[in-house]
């Protein structure tokens, strides 16, 4: 019998639990990755493991059943590994399939998604669902209206009517009992009345409010699968151990989540196999025990978190496009699917604003080294995008172009009151004190250019008063120029070929008469960011796309001057 421990560390010795007083029985061979036990050792074993990765992951890979005996919060867990190469375990869960709101807009779409889920006979997926269509936006709007409309008018809020109609009609068209969602619809209306009474919508209440979307879509979908004869079980993420910080509307997943989710989903599967249908986007604050959300688009993160917790071999994220595209199709309809990406490229793309993936969603997949496939639920035959740790970069130049609009830029030039270290340290300490995040930075000895993103959807909005305060503080040590209405164009690709990318990009921009105001190449080595005026940004993306992805000609031109390397290694250019 062998257990591949992957990243679990073995802390102490082994015991044959059938005789707990016997001396510790060491495995016949041992290294940090793999334990091999004598053949005779087929009964229940107790292992003392330090959590480094989900023990369920080990179990799946080694086809052993693992169950936690203790809570999820201690570092050292006592595990029982039973050598059960039985059918249930062989037929364990095989992948995560996540469907976003764009895949779940109507009863018709729910039917298609159900067909899709059931169309892979060898797959036994954990299904993660977002709210139907535009439900989350409508819930937020209903909440905002409730603040000022008066208690007696809450029932008349248009968005409440829309949500009720969408969900009751969907249930009706799928032929499932309205009781599956009627309790939630009543509770939603009561919540809106509560908001109207209090005349306030706190972040905590916002999270509770939007949770109704995912709670209802998953209940409808699970009931529909059961009606089709496919045994399914609905789960609310906040009840299965998705434990987060208490940062309402933008919570982070905590480590305790992984063993807790594995214990719950794997345990239930072993006892009574049924397809798990889990709410995306939601969690439970570890201090408050209240419902939290993971930031807009957070169901992608739920999917990768569950994938890592269960150590599943693949995570599928189903969208309404043929995978990750070479740029946002709403900016340029000529965007094409990107067949392969690394986790780093995908994370950078998401961080710099490509709506297709949640910015944090690659982290669990990278940590668990689990491939993520982005597929189109409207066109399942399309190959989609496969995201893995590494890929063949020999031919790669540019992968994707990402545009982030409405960015504020600051040019900060030292008055030389402080030395070089003092200047940089002081500038960044001001941002830290004010809790403002910085996106793109380029520095020289005496100047810093950086961007602040007021529209960043996973952080709070910056208001003018805060910006004025930043400028006031910075002006104590520098001359500051605040520039609104800028865009960041991120060129994601093989930065080993940055000279070629820059030659080509600058040639395109120059021939379009565009002045680049700052450029920065981050330490991640997969992204070069260019800052231009908002008004010129779309034109730039189209021209860059045509040059990089639609022209057969490679770079056979040289662009002279205009940018240099800053002392910190960041490339920079100022107009
Ligand atoms: N580089 C890109 N590749 C693919 N889609 C993109 C890209 N940039 C923006 N998008 C947009 O992201 C959308 C898919 O993401 P999202 O709406 O979050 O899907 P879902 O709700 O299904 O999770 C697409 O419809 C597309 O308009
Ligand atoms: N429903 C949430 C969470 C989510 O992930 O949605 P989607 O998968 O449709 O982007 C939102 O709209 O933000």
């Amino acid at each position: 019998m062998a257990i591949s421990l992957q990243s679990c560390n073995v802390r102490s010795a082994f015991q044959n639990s059938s005789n707990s007083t016997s001396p510790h029985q060491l495995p016949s061979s041992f290294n940090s990755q793999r334990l091999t036990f004598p053949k005779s050792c087929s009964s229940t074993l107790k292992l003392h493991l330090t959590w480094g990765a989900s023990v369920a992951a080990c179990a799946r890979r080694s086809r052993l059943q693992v169950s936690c005996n203790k809570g999820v919060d201690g570092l050292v867990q006592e595990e029982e590994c039973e050598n059960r190469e039985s059918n249930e375990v062989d037929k364990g869960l095989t992948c995560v399939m996540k469907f976003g709101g764009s895949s779940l807009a109507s009863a018709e779409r729910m039917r298609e998604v159900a067909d899709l889920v059931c169309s892979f006979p060898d797959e036994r997926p954990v299904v993660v669902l977002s709210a139907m269509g535009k439900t989350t936006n409508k819930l937020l709007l209903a909440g905002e209206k409730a603040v000022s409309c008066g208690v007696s008018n809450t029932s008349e809020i248009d968005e409440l009517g829309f949500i009720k109609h969408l969900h009751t009609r969907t249930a009706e068209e799928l032929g499932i009992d309205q009781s599956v969602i009627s309790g939630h619809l009543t509770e939603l209306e009561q919540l809106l009345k509560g908001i109207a009474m209090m005349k306030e919508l706190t972040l905590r209440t916002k999270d509770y409010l939007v949770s109704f979307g995912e709670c209802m879509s998953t209940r409808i979908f699970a009931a529909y699968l059961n009606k089709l004869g496919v045994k399914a079980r609905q789960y609310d993420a906040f009840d299965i151990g998705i434990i987060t910080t208490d940062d309402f509307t933008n919570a982070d997943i905590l480590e305790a989540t992984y063993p807790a989710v594995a214990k719950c989903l794997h345990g239930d599967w072993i006892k009574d196999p049924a397809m798990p249908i889990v709410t995306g986007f939601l969690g439970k604050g570890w201090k408050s025990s209240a419902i939290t959300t993971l930031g807009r688009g957070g169901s992608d993160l739920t999917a990768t978190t569950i994938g890592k917790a269960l150590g599943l071999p693949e995570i599928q994220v189903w969208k309404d496009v043929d995978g990750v595209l070479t740029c946002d199709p709403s900016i340029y309809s000529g965007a094409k699917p990107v067949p392969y990406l690394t986790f780093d490229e995908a994370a950078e793309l998401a961080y710099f604003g490509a709506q297709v993936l949640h910015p944090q969603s690659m982290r669990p997949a990278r940590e668990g080294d689990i491939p993520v496939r982005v597929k189109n639920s409207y066109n399942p035959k399309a190959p989609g995008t496969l995201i893995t740790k590494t890929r063949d970069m020999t031919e790669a130049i540019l992968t994707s172009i990402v545009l982030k609009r409405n960015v504020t830029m600051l040019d900060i030039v030292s008055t030389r009151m402080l030395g070089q270290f003092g200047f940089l340290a002081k500038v960044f300490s001001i941002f830290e004190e004010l809790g403002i995040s910085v996106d793109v930075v380029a520095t020289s000895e005496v100047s810093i250019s950086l961007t602040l993103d007021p529209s960043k959807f996973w952080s709070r909005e910056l208001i003018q008063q805060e910006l004025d305060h930043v400028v006031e503080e910075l002006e104590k040590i520098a001359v500051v120029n605040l520039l609104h209405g800028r865009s960041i164009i991120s060129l994601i690709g093989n930065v080993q070929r940055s000279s070629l990318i820059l030659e080509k990009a600058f040639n395109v921009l120059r021939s379009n008469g565009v002045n680049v105001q700052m450029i920065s190449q981050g330490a991640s080595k997969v992204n070069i960011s260019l800052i231009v005026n908002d008004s010129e940004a779309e034109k730039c993306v189209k021209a860059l796309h045509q040059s990089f992805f639609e022209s057969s000609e490679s770079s056979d031109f040289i662009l002279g001057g205009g940018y240099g390397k800053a002392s910190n290694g960041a490339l920079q250019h100022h107009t």
Side-chain angles (χ1 to χ4, degrees):
M1 169 165 81
I3 304 178
S4 294
L5 281 174
Q6 306 289 331
S7 52
C8 280
N9 297 315
V10 178
R11 198 183 73 90
S12 65
F14 303 82
Q15 245 182 333
N16 190 324
S17 70
S18 55
N19 177 5
S20 57
T21 55
S22 71
H24 288 168
Q25 182 182 341
L26 286 170
S28 55
S29 73
F30 167 76
N31 66 35
S32 64
Q33 293 293 307
R34 195 171 166 82
L35 307 172
T36 308
F37 294 90
K39 275 218 173 75
S40 59
C41 184
S42 60
S43 61
T44 301
L45 292 171
K46 278 191 178 169
L47 308 185
H48 295 271
L49 302 173
T50 303
W51 284 100
S54 158
V55 172
C58 310
R60 265 213 53 71
R61 290 186 191 108
S62 55
R63 293 190 177 162
L64 293 172
Q65 186 198 354
V66 174
S67 59
C68 295
N69 288 340
K70 286 188 178 167
V72 295
D73 46 354
L75 268 183
V76 178
Q77 303 279 324
E78 193 173 78
E79 299 304 325
E80 246 182 38
C81 297
E82 203 179 317
N83 186 8
R84 278 195 1 173
E85 300 208 12
S86 67
N87 283 342
E88 305 105 284
V89 181
D90 269 358
K91 289 193 179 156
L93 295 158
T94 57
C95 69
V96 180
M97 291 175 105
K98 179 257 165 173
F99 295 90
S102 60
S103 301
L104 298 167
S106 61
E108 190 44 39
R109 290 298 304 150
M110 285 239 185
R111 258 190 221 112
E112 283 169 32
V113 168
D115 285 350
L116 201 65
V117 164
C118 302
S119 66
F120 302 99
D122 296 333
E123 297 288 10
R124 286 169 301 283
V126 178
V127 176
V128 173
L129 299 185
S130 302
M132 289 183 73
K134 310 224 175 308
T135 302
T136 307
N137 287 348
K138 298 273 185 200
L139 284 165
L140 288 170
L141 223 74
E144 273 155 30
K145 286 190 179 172
V147 173
S148 54
C149 75
V151 181
S152 55
N153 296 323
T154 47
S155 312
E156 309 311 317
I157 293 173
D158 287 349
E159 287 72 17
L160 174 63
F162 174 94
I163 291 163
K164 277 184 172 176
H165 182 64
L166 174 68
H167 290 85
T168 48
R169 196 189 55 209
T170 303
E172 192 184 305
E173 285 177 20
L174 294 176
I176 57 167
D177 205 305
Q178 294 291 337
S179 63
V180 162
I181 47 157
S182 54
H184 280 81
L185 288 173
T186 310
E187 200 182 318
L188 170 62
E189 194 164 340
Q190 280 165 354
L191 175 61
L192 290 171
K193 282 197 191 338
I195 294 168
M197 249 178 241
M198 299 299 292
K199 295 191 174 52
E200 70 167 359
L201 180 57
T202 61
L203 297 183
R204 178 174 170 149
T205 307
K206 261 189 191 178
D207 278 355
Y208 177 35
L209 177 64
V210 292
S211 72
F212 283 83
E214 274 71 11
C215 288
M216 290 194 289
S217 65
T218 46
R219 280 170 172 78
I220 293 175
F221 191 73
Y224 179 59
L225 285 181
N226 281 316
K227 187 193 148 202
L228 295 181
V230 178
K231 200 167 164 193
R233 190 182 292 125
Q234 190 275 348
Y235 291 94
D236 290 321
F238 44 84
D239 283 339
I240 64 165
I242 300 213
I243 302 155
T244 71
T245 59
D246 289 282
D247 300 310
F248 295 104
T249 73
N250 188 30
D252 272 336
I253 301 228
L254 298 176
E255 276 303 304
T257 294
Y258 299 106
V261 168
K263 182 183 178 192
C264 174
L265 294 184
H266 187 70
D268 281 1
W269 177 270
I270 293 298
K271 274 186 253 143
D272 178 18
M275 191 185 291
I277 314 294
V278 186
T279 57
F281 185 44
L282 311 176
K284 183 178 194 165
W286 76 287
K287 282 190 199 151
S288 64
S289 292
I291 295 175
T292 54
T293 63
L294 309 175
R296 295 306 304 271
S299 305
D300 296 339
L301 177 56
T302 309
T304 53
T305 299
I306 292 177
K308 179 185 163 189
L310 293 171
L312 299 178
E314 184 168 287
I315 298 160
Q316 299 171 5
V317 180
W318 291 79
K319 305 266 165 185
D320 60 348
V321 279
D322 281 350
V324 177
L325 306 179
T326 45
C327 75
D328 184 340
S330 67
I331 295 173
Y332 182 55
S333 57
K336 301 170 184 173
V338 178
Y340 302 101
L341 278 174
T342 62
F343 292 131
D344 288 344
E345 288 173 312
E348 204 77 356
L349 199 127
Y351 182 80
F352 277 92
Q355 191 202 331
V356 65
L357 291 169
H358 181 278
Q360 303 297 330
S361 59
M362 287 303 111
R363 196 153 40 102
R366 186 200 276 128
E367 287 165 1
D369 194 9
I370 303 172
V372 177
R373 217 178 265 281
V374 183
K375 296 270 293 173
N376 189 351
S377 68
Y378 291 77
N379 182 19
K381 291 213 169 87
T385 301
L386 181 62
I387 308 171
T388 47
K389 196 187 226 163
T390 52
R391 69 183 183 102
D392 179 4
M393 297 296 277
T394 45
E395 298 291 311
I397 301 177
L398 204 68
T399 311
S400 190
I401 304 170
V402 183
L403 172 60
K404 187 144 91 172
R405 297 188 186 87
N406 191 22
V407 166
T408 300
M409 178 174 158
L410 276 176
D411 272 339
I412 308 159
V413 181
S414 170
T415 47
R416 295 181 191 255
M417 286 165 59
L418 302 166
Q420 190 201 356
F421 313 127
F423 173 63
L424 294 177
K426 181 69 190 162
V427 167
F428 286 106
S429 72
I430 290 171
F431 287 107
E432 193 197 349
E433 275 160 32
L434 300 174
I436 292 176
S437 53
V438 168
D439 264 351
V440 179
V441 185
T443 71
S444 74
E445 275 178 60
V446 291
S447 72
I448 303 181
S449 292
L450 45 82
T451 61
L452 313 171
D453 177 10
S455 63
K456 210 179 226 177
F457 54 89
W458 63 95
S459 78
R460 71 212 165 84
E461 292 203 346
L462 286 180
I463 50 173
Q464 187 60 39
Q465 226 177 343
E466 283 179 289
L467 289 175
D468 292 344
H469 189 44
V470 179
V471 172
E472 204 175 291
E473 286 297 302
L474 290 169
E475 278 178 341
K476 293 178 184 163
I477 51 162
V479 176
V480 183
N481 205 1
L482 183 69
L483 305 155
H484 289 293
R486 300 300 190 267
S487 285
I488 304 174
I489 298 177
S490 298
L491 305 175
I492 315 289
N494 185 355
V495 180
Q496 296 302 324
R497 305 182 77 175
S498 59
S499 301
L500 176 60
I501 294 173
L502 286 167
E503 275 173 30
K504 204 161 176 160
F506 274 88
N507 192 42
V508 169
L509 298 175
R510 189 176 58 177
S511 55
N512 281 275
V514 174
N515 232 354
V516 175
Q517 301 181 16
M518 177 173 127
I519 108 159
S520 170
Q521 179 181 333
S524 74
K525 302 289 180 226
V526 295
N527 176 12
I528 297 171
S529 293
L530 312 171
I531 316 297
V532 300
N533 280 335
D534 266 344
S535 57
E536 297 170 316
E538 279 200 17
K539 174 175 80 173
C540 293
V541 172
K542 284 178 197 162
L544 287 166
H545 194 281
Q546 279 158 0
S547 169
F548 278 100
F549 299 111
E550 294 164 65
S551 130
S552 52
E553 153 213 337
S554 65
S555 175
D556 50 13
F557 42 78
I558 309 278
L559 183 75
Y563 53 91
K565 211 160 199 272
S567 55
N568 66 347
L571 291 162
Q572 69 168 32
H573 170 98
H574 286 278
T575 52

